C-alpha cells in the first residue's frame, strides 16, 4: 500500500512512532502498537503504529512521520512511501514471559535491552517490563545477565592508565558530597578515577549539580577521555556521556510511579561503572531513619547483591554501610555544598568535620583496594594527601581541565535573600530529617537556583537553646524564599529532647 | 506562569495531554507525567504533561494543546493561558499499592476506574494497573468491588418490561453464533433481551459482525432503549453504546502484550451485563483443545468466579461448561455464519444441527431462569418456539427495528472467488482446530470482507475419503484467497485417523 508522508513537525527522543488515520488503519486491519515497515526508494525503517482520530491530524491516504523517521528514509513532506505489516520484536514475547514469572536468559535480556536502546519498544511495552521486574523479582543470575546486557548494548570507555577506580552512593542523605573530596585524593595518589555523577532528582543537589558551580560537567565521551588522560580524574554529568543508555529510557517509565526495582537499579549502576572500565568500586549504603534505606536487613541484602553481581561483571567490589540518620556537611544546595567541599579540601576549619571524616575513611578504603596503601593504612595515607594540599591542587587541575577556574570558597556568591530559622525549644537534638531539609532547600529553588539552599549550624546530639539559630535558608527569589519559610511552619525537620 | 497556546491539530481519544518545550519544563522543574492546570479566562482544566524536544514542535513560551483541551477552555491558537502544577490523581498511589501486592478497597478501585474513564491517567500509569492486577491476582472481594466500580462509573440502561436476560460466551470457538438463535427465541417468549455483542478481535467474526450482515448494529443508548422497548430484544455492537466504558480503555493497553487478567475480564463482562439491568445471565464456557479454555480446572475456577461475583453484583447467574473441541455450525465469517443462523431459525435442513442443538439447550435454560418454563421443561419450550416459526418472525422484527430488511439465506451474496480444500487421506476425523480454521478465514479477509470465510462440510467423528472436499474458502479478493490457500499448505486444521 502506498501513502503520502505528512511531516508532523515533532522530534521526540522516545519510541519511533508513525501515525495513520484510524479509518485507513481499520481497512488495513492494523492495530495500535503494530509494527509498520515504511519504504522510500531504497531506504526502509520500522516504526510503532499509532492512530489519529481526525482528518485534521492525519488525513486518509497519508502517514504522519516524526523527524527521526524522515531522516532515516531521506524523505520529506508529501514523499510517497510503501508500507507493510512487520513482525513485532521478539523482546515482547520475552517481556510476557517475565510477566508470567519465568526466568529470562542472557540472550533474552540482551534482546530486550537492545530494543529499548534502539527505541523499538513503546512506552506501554517498556512499562510491562519494568512492572514484571518489580513484581517477579529478578533472581541474582538474571540481575547479572541484565548487567552484562546493559554493558554490551552501550559504549565502553578505555583509559591509558590503571588502576581505574569508581565509587557509588545509594543516596538519600542531603549534603553527602564525599565524591568531590575522594576523587582529588585518589587522583593525587596516581589512581585513575573517571567519575560520572547524576544530577538531583528529588534532592537539593546531585554531585553533578554541585560540581557545576566550579566547572563544566557536560562533556562528550571523547572529551571525558581527554580530561581523564590528562589529569587522572574528572567529575562529570553521566547524562551527557550516555553510557549504558538503556537506563535513561527505563527511568522515564519508572518515574510516574516512582518505581525502582532492586535488580534493575543494581544492573544500571554496575553497568555504568563497567562502561568506564572501572576495576574497583566502593559502594556506600547510608542506613537510617530518613535515608533511602531505613532497615538493616534491606541494607545487608543490597550489600550482598552488589558484591555478587559486581564480581560476576568482573569488578572488585567493596560495600560499606554508613550512618544515614542525618544530613552530612553544613550546606545543602549546589553552591553551599561546593563551598563545604572546598573548605574541606583546603583544610579550612570551616570545613564540616563529618564530611571530612567520611571522605577520608572512604578514600582510604579505595587506596587500599587500588594497592596504593597497605590494609589498615589507607585512611592515614588519605589524610596525609589531604593535609599536604595535594588533593586541593588536584581539584584545581580538574576544575581547569573541565573549563572552570580557581575560586576561593569565600568568594562564592551567596544568594541575594536569606532567612534564619530559630529553635522554639531548648534541649538536645535527637533527629535531623533528611527529607524535610531537602524539601526546604528545593522549595527555596535548589538545584536550579545554584545558590539556593539551606545552611545548617547544628548536628545530632548538639545542645541548643530556645531562640538559637538552627539554619539559614538562601534564595535568589523572594517568592521562593517565602515558600520555603512557609514550609518550615509545618515542620523545621529538627527534633530536640529536653 | 503565562504561556501562549499552540493548537497541535490533533484529536486523540486517550489520556488528556499538553506539551511544553523541554527547556521551559526544565526551568519550571516540571517532569513528564506531571499534572498541569491550565486556566483560560474563567475555564480551567488539568492535563498530563509531555515534552517536545524541538522548537519546531512546541517553541519556548508556548503550550501545545489537543482539541479536547481547547474545547474545555474555550480557547484557540495563540490564546494566553496561566499554568500551574497540580497534585497527581490519588489513583496513582492506589495503583502503586496494588503493585506492592496490597488489597484495594471499593473506594480505591472506584477512584482508579473513574480516573481511567475520565482520561486522567496516562498509558504508562494504566499499564501499571493492568500489570499489577495480572501479577498480584485480585482476590474475589476485589473483583466484586472492581465490578461494582465499573458499573457505577458508567450509565445503566433501564427497560420497561422484565425479566431482563443476558448471556455471555467466553469465546474461542469458531462459528459459535448461538446468541443469534437464542435471543429471538427468548424475545418470542416475552422476555426482554438487550444483547450487546463484540466485534471480532482474533476470530473471523464476532456476533456484532455477523448481525451486521442483516441489520445495523451501531446505535446510541437512546436508540437501543427504543428498539428493545418496541420488539423486546436487540443484537447490537457494545462498542457503540459504550456502557461500562473503562473496559475499552483498559483493553487498549492490554492489547500490545495480549494480556488478560482473570479478575479484570470478569469485572468487565459482568459490569456490561449489569449496565443493561440484566437480572439473569447464562454464561457459556467452551472447554477443550483449541478453545480459549483448555483445562477443566481453569473452567471450574472461572465458573465459580462468575457465580460468586455475579451474585454479589445482584444477578442470577448460571454457568455451563460446553464442548469447545471443534467449531460450531458450518460457516465461519460474517455472511456464512448469518446464513447458518437464518437456516436454523427457518427450520431449514441446511441449518447446522450442532448450532441448533446448542442454541435450544441454552435458550431452554434461560427460559427456566426467567420463570417462563418449569425446571426441566425449558428445552422443550425453546424447541416449540423455534419450530413454530415465532423465533424466525421475531428475528425479522429485530432486523427491521435495527434498520435492515428481510433477506432469505439463499439470497445472501457469496464472495466472488472460492477455493476447495480436499483431504489427502481417508479416515475418521479426530480433531478440527478452531485456531487454524479461524486463521484461514481471517487470511481470506474476514471479518472486514463480510463474505470472506470458510464453509466446512464435516465435523468430528465423520468418516472422510481421500480426495473428498473438506471445506471451501471464500473471498472477494484473489490475493487474499491465494494467501489463505497458501496457509492450508502448512496445515489444513483437520486431523484424521486411519
Amino acid at each position: 500500500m502506498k501513502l503520502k508522508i505528512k511531516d508532523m513537525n515533532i522530534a521526540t527522543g522516545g519510541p519511533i512512532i508513525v501515525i495513520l488515520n484510524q479509518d485507513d488503519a481499520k481497512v488495513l486491519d492494523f492495530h495500535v502498537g503494530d509494527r509498520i515497515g515504511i519504504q522510500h526508494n531504497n531506504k526502509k525503517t520500522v516504526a510503532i503504529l499509532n492512530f489519529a482520530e481526525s482528518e485534521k491530524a492525519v488525513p486518509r491516504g497519508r502517514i504522519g512521520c516524526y523527524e527521526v523517521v524522515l531522516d532515516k528514509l531521506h524523505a520529506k513532506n508529501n514523499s510517497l512511501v510503501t508500507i507493510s505489516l512487520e513482525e513485532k520484536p521478539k523482546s515482547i514475547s520475552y517481556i510476557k514471559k517475565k510477566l508470567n514469572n519465568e526466568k529470562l536468559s542472557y540472550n533474552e535480556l540482551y534482546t530486550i535491552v537492545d530494543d529499548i536502546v534502539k527505541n523499538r519498544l513503546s512506552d506501554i511495552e517498556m512499562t510491562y517490563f519494568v512492572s514484571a521486574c518489580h513484581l517477579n523479582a529478578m533472581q541474582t543470575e538474571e540481575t547479572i545477565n541484565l548487567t552484562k546486557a546493559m554493558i554490551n548494548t552501550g559504549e565502553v570507555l578505555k583509559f591509558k592508565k590503571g588502576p581505574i577506580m569508581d565509587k557509588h552512593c545509594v543516596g538519600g542523605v542531603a549534603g553527602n558530597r564525599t565524591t568531590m573530596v575522594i576523587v582529588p585524593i585518589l587522583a593525587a595518589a596516581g589512581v585513575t578515577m573517571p567519575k560520572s555523577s547524576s544530577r538531583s532528582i528529588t534532592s537539593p543537589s546531585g554531585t553533578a549539580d554541585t560540581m557545576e558551580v566550579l566547572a563544566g560537567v557536560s562533556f562528550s565521551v571523547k572529551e571525558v577521555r581527554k580530561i581523564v588522560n590528562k589529569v587522572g580524574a574528572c567529575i562529570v554529568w553521566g547524562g551527557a556521556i550516555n553510557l549504558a543508555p538503556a537506563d535513561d529510557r527505563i527511568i522515564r517509565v519508572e518515574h510516574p510511579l516512582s518505581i525502582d526495582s532492586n535488580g534493575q537499579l543494581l544492573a544500571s549502576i554496575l553497568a555504568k561503572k563497567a562502561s568506564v572500565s572501572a576495576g574497583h568500586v566502593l559502594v556506600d549504603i547510608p542506613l537510617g531513619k530518613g535515608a533511602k534505606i531505613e532497615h538493616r536487613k534491606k541494607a545487608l541484602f543490597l550489600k550482598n547483591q552488589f558484591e555478587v553481581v559486581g564480581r560476576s561483571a568482573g569488578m572488585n567490589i567493596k560495600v560499606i554501610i554508613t550512618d544515614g540518620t542525618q544530613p552530612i556537611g553544613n550546606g545543602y544546595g549546589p553552591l553551599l555544598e561546593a563551598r563545604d567541599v572546598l573548605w574541606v579540601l583546603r583544610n579550612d576549619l570551616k570545613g564540616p568535620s563529618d564530611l571530612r571524616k567520611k571522605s577520608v575513611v572512604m578514600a582510604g578504603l579505595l587506596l587500599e583496594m587500588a594497592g596504593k596503601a597497605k590494609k589498615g593504612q589507607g585512611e592515614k595515607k588519605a589524610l596525609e594527601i589531604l593535609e599536604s594540599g595535594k588533593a586541593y591542587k588536584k581539584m584545581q587541575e580538574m576544575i581547569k581541565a573541565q573549563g572552570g577556574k580557581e575560586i576561593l570558597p569565600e568568594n562564592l556568591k551567596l544568594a541575594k535573600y536569606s532567612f534564619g530559622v530559630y529553635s522554639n525549644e531548648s534541649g538536645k537534638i535527637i533527629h535531623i530529617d533528611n527529607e524535610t531539609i531537602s524539601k526546604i532547600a528545593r522549595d527555596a529553588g535548589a538545584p536550579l537556583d545554584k545558590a539556593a539552599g539551606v545552611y545548617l549550624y547544628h548536628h545530632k546530639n548538639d545542645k541548643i537553646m530556645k531562640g538559637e539559630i538552627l539554619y539559614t535558608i538562601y534564595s535568589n527569589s523572594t517568592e521562593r524564599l517565602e515558600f520555603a519559610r512557609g514550609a518550615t511552619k509545618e515542620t523545621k525537620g529538627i527534633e530536640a529532647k529536653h
Side-chain angles (χ1 to χ4, degrees), chain A:
Chain A
M1 169 139 191
K2 280 193 180 291
L3 294 169
K4 221 158 63 171
I5 283 182
K6 173 174 174 177
D7 180 353
M8 300 302 285
N9 270 335
I10 294 185
T12 65
I16 299 167
I17 287 169
V18 291
I19 304 170
L20 285 185
N21 184 284
Q22 64 178 4
D23 295 327
D24 277 346
K26 202 181 150 192
V27 171
L28 292 162
D29 198 14
F30 286 175
H31 293 92
V32 168
D34 278 348
R35 264 52 176 188
I36 304 297
I38 312 130
Q39 176 133 23
H40 176 246
N41 300 330
N42 60 347
K43 304 277 176 198
K44 183 173 174 177
T45 190
V46 174
I48 304 169
L49 181 64
N50 208 344
F51 288 0
E53 287 198 337
S54 68
E55 281 276 321
K56 206 173 160 193
V58 178
R60 290 198 65 168
R62 302 197 67 173
I63 180 166
C65 295
Y66 293 174
E67 279 164 29
V68 56
V69 172
L70 299 179
D71 289 349
K72 281 195 185 182
L73 295 175
H74 293 201
K76 55 181 199 291
N77 199 33
N78 290 328
S79 294
L80 213 59
V81 292
T82 309
I83 65 165
S84 54
L85 187 64
E86 305 286 325
E87 291 233 340
K88 288 205 179 182
K90 280 221 176 63
S91 50
I92 291 179
S93 60
Y94 304 148
I95 293 172
K96 192 152 182 195
K97 205 171 154 185
K98 184 73 198 159
L99 264 177
N100 291 329
N101 211 2
E102 290 177 60
K103 206 171 103 179
L104 297 183
S105 69
Y106 170 75
N107 283 334
E108 289 166 340
L109 286 163
Y110 179 88
T111 308
I112 294 171
V113 174
D114 192 45
D115 280 343
I116 290 175
V117 169
K118 295 194 174 127
N119 281 320
R120 289 198 202 111
L121 295 181
S122 73
D123 284 352
I124 290 175
E125 290 152 0
M126 274 199 284
T127 304
Y128 279 116
F129 180 56
V130 171
S131 304
C133 295
H134 177 74
L135 288 155
N136 299 324
M138 287 209 268
Q139 296 175 26
T140 306
E141 194 189 331
E142 280 178 295
T143 307
I144 292 169
N145 284 328
L146 181 62
T147 309
K148 289 181 182 167
M150 283 186 167
I151 297 168
N152 294 337
T153 50
E155 205 175 337
V156 175
L157 249 168
K158 302 269 182 203
F159 299 98
K160 278 187 201 156
K161 210 184 116 192
I164 297 163
M165 314 294 293
D166 209 334
K167 71 166 281 288
H168 178 77
C169 177
V170 166
V173 174
N176 192 17
R177 286 292 87 76
T178 56
T179 293
M180 290 176 70
V181 181
I182 293 169
V183 172
I185 293 177
L186 267 285
V191 158
T192 300
M193 205 153 176
K195 187 79 194 76
S196 78
S197 295
S198 52
R199 292 192 185 276
S200 112
I201 298 173
T202 55
S203 68
S205 185
T207 295
D209 300 309
T210 300
M211 184 67 184
E212 206 176 26
V213 172
L214 308 173
V217 294
S218 292
F219 295 101
S220 67
V221 165
K222 212 174 136 188
E223 290 166 326
V224 167
R225 197 185 291 118
K226 204 175 139 194
I227 294 165
V228 174
N229 283 335
K230 190 175 169 196
V231 298
C234 69
I235 298 173
V236 299
W237 176 41
I241 42 179
N242 201 24
L243 294 166
D247 193 40
D248 293 343
R249 296 189 166 81
I250 289 171
I251 285 173
R252 215 166 55 89
V253 300
E254 286 180 332
H255 186 84
L257 259 81
S258 319
I259 300 276
D260 46 34
S261 103
N262 265 328
Q264 220 162 58
L265 197 68
L266 211 71
S268 297
I269 292 163
L270 291 171
K272 291 202 169 169
K273 304 310 173 197
S275 67
V276 293
S277 305
H280 310 264
V281 181
L282 180 64
V283 178
D284 173 16
I285 304 179
L287 167 70
K289 189 180 158 196
K292 206 158 179 179
I293 309 293
E294 296 200 318
H295 303 286
R296 177 157 297 272
K297 207 177 144 191
K298 185 157 183 209
L300 289 171
F301 171 77
L302 208 54
K303 178 180 191 303
N304 176 266
Q305 287 278 297
F306 264 114
E307 288 166 352
V308 173
V309 178
R311 277 166 207 161
S312 297
M315 287 175 271
N316 172 28
I317 296 262
K318 193 175 177 69
V319 183
I320 52 171
I321 297 175
T322 60
D323 177 15
T325 57
Q326 61 173 335
I328 287 181
N330 303 329
Y332 316 108
L335 184 140
L336 296 168
E337 291 174 13
R339 193 172 64 158
D340 277 354
V341 164
L342 289 179
W343 275 332
V344 168
L345 286 170
R346 266 211 336 192
N347 299 295
D348 193 302
L349 280 176
K350 291 193 279 297
S353 58
D354 56 348
L355 176 63
R356 179 182 178 92
K357 174 74 186 163
K358 185 172 177 182
S359 304
V360 167
V361 168
M362 289 178 69
L365 289 171
L366 279 161
L367 287 171
E368 292 174 17
M369 289 169 83
K372 296 285 176 182
K374 284 199 193 119
K375 201 157 166 55
Q377 300 294 309
E379 191 176 332
K380 195 170 150 257
K381 175 135 194 211
L383 194 60
E384 275 170 25
I385 296 172
L386 183 62
E387 287 181 340
S388 72
K390 283 182 196 157
Y392 180 76
K393 196 168 153 262
K394 183 53 82 177
M395 183 57 141
Q396 295 309 328
E397 282 174 36
M398 285 166 57
I399 290 172
K400 208 176 145 196
Q402 291 183 212
K405 53 185 178 186
E406 184 168 356
I407 183 162
L408 296 179
E410 295 74 25
N411 294 342
L412 285 167
K413 202 169 165 244
L414 293 181
K416 268 187 273 184
Y417 310 105
S418 65
F419 177 85
V421 175
Y422 297 85
S423 179
N424 298 335
E425 53 193 345
S426 299
K428 195 172 98 172
I429 295 178
I430 54 163
H431 180 62
I432 303 179
D433 195 64
N434 271 306
E435 247 180 281
T436 309
I437 299 292
S438 290
K439 188 187 174 299
I440 294 168
R442 277 184 79 94
D443 285 349
L448 214 72
D449 175 355
K450 291 273 183 201
V454 167
Y455 192 83
L456 189 66
Y457 301 101
H458 293 286
H459 279 278
K460 236 169 78 177
N461 297 324
D462 283 5
K463 284 194 178 130
I464 46 159
M465 302 291 292
K466 188 174 170 179
E468 197 179 341
I469 190 158
L470 294 171
Y471 49 83
T472 303
I473 308 173
Y474 290 93
S475 181
N476 278 312
S477 144
T478 50
E479 276 177 11
R480 282 282 192 178
L481 190 69
E482 197 46 41
F483 190 40
R485 195 178 73 89
T488 64
K489 283 187 182 155
E490 262 180 56
T491 167
K492 295 190 169 72
I494 295 182
E495 233 177 287
K497 200 177 150 183
H498 304 272

